Amino acid sequence: MKILALTDIHGSYTTAAAIIRKESADVVIIGGDLTTIGTVKEAEDALDLFRPAAGRLLCVAGNMDLPQHDHLFEQRGVSLNACGVSIGDVGFFGVSAAPFSRLHTPYEISEEELSRRIRKGFGMVSNAPTKVFVPHAPPYGTKLDIIHTGIHVGSMAVREFIEDFQPEVVVCGHIHEARGIDRIEESQIVNCGIAAHGNYAVITIDRDIEILNLHYTNES
């Protein structure tokens, strides 16, 4: 299975659509911040743009999206927020939003609520041989949650869940400057980077799991 993961699109829909067409993946994950405080109609138009080339599309909302976007994703059958979806032997589940912060962005929730939603989604796919966890926020205390001042700002709920249940793959974003790949024990974790700047990840699940951080230009 080939999975394309995009996070932090922030309204750059034509760039995201070009990446989706280029990679021709079995599953496309939108890992949050599709918009920058965009309307529900804007988010809906973006899904319509992505859908023809996306294979199976799965989404969570980010902290710069609106809570109402989760309802749209549910209506369109693409939501992973507090939800699990099995495709073949792979179970996908996730959680929208980010922990409360001093920035007071539009979609922030408590660590307790993040934990509740994560576990609800996980319960729907817990028997899948391979699991892909999609939180918008990265786990606390990795190289994927360090902001420019050098401090960690990730989610403790995400971290604790990974430590307890070891999903094979974790796809996150949110911290723009912390693009990269890390691990917590058996879990491979990728912060896809800013899709608005052409960054994305490709995950191949076969006998082994391979994760690549890639960059798109118009010439690529």
Side-chain angles (χ1 to χ4, degrees):
M1 179 184 290
K2 179 180 179 180
I3 302 165
L4 168 64
L6 300 161
T7 64
D8 302 285
I9 294 170
H10 289 296
S12 294
Y13 307 124
T14 56
T15 298
I19 295 169
I20 291 169
R21 288 193 299 270
K22 174 181 181 291
E23 291 297 339
S24 188
D26 301 305
V27 179
V28 175
I29 293 171
I30 306 299
D33 283 0
L34 173 63
T35 75
T36 302
I37 322 181
T39 64
V40 172
K41 179 63 166 58
E42 181 181 330
E44 186 172 26
D45 289 345
L47 296 186
D48 289 339
L49 179 64
F50 301 160
R51 205 81 189 248
R56 185 70 181 270
L57 185 63
L58 300 171
C59 304
V60 297
N63 63 299
M64 293 301 293
D65 294 314
L66 303 178
Q68 294 93 319
H69 293 168
D70 271 334
H71 183 58
L72 167 68
F73 297 157
E74 291 165 11
Q75 287 182 320
R76 297 293 292 268
V78 300
S79 178
L80 287 181
N81 177 51
C83 182
V85 175
S86 290
I87 302 173
D89 288 336
V90 183
F92 298 83
F93 64 104
V95 62
S96 294
F100 288 128
S101 75
R102 290 177 294 178
L103 299 177
H104 302 291
T105 53
Y107 198 2
E108 298 180 357
I109 60 179
S110 68
E111 293 280 12
E112 291 77 15
E113 178 62 11
L114 284 165
S115 180
R116 185 193 70 79
R117 295 186 189 187
I118 293 166
R119 281 161 171 73
K120 181 179 178 184
F122 175 68
M124 299 171 72
V125 295
S126 59
N127 291 328
T130 302
K131 288 169 278 293
V132 177
F133 174 32
V134 186
H136 177 60
Y140 181 84
T142 65
K143 64 184 181 184
L144 308 180
D145 76 323
I146 302 173
I147 60 172
H148 61 91
T149 58
I151 66 170
H152 294 279
V153 294
S155 166
M156 284 301 304
V158 170
R159 170 100 196 195
E160 289 167 2
F161 176 83
I162 294 169
E163 290 177 340
D164 288 345
F165 293 97
Q166 298 290 294
E168 284 77 6
V169 177
V170 181
V171 174
C172 61
H174 184 45
I175 307 304
H176 293 184
E177 57 267 53
R179 176 181 180 232
I181 297 171
D182 205 350
R183 312 183 63 100
I184 296 175
E185 297 179 35
E186 298 305 311
S187 296
Q188 297 186 66
I189 311 162
V190 58
N191 179 333
C192 303
I194 309 172
H197 295 172
N199 299 315
Y200 62 100
V202 169
I203 301 142
T204 304
I205 298 176
D206 197 353
R207 291 179 182 272
D208 297 313
I209 296 172
E210 180 182 48
I211 301 177
L212 299 174
N213 263 129
L214 300 172
H215 181 76
Y216 171 83
T217 66
N218 289 332
E219 294 77 32
S220 62

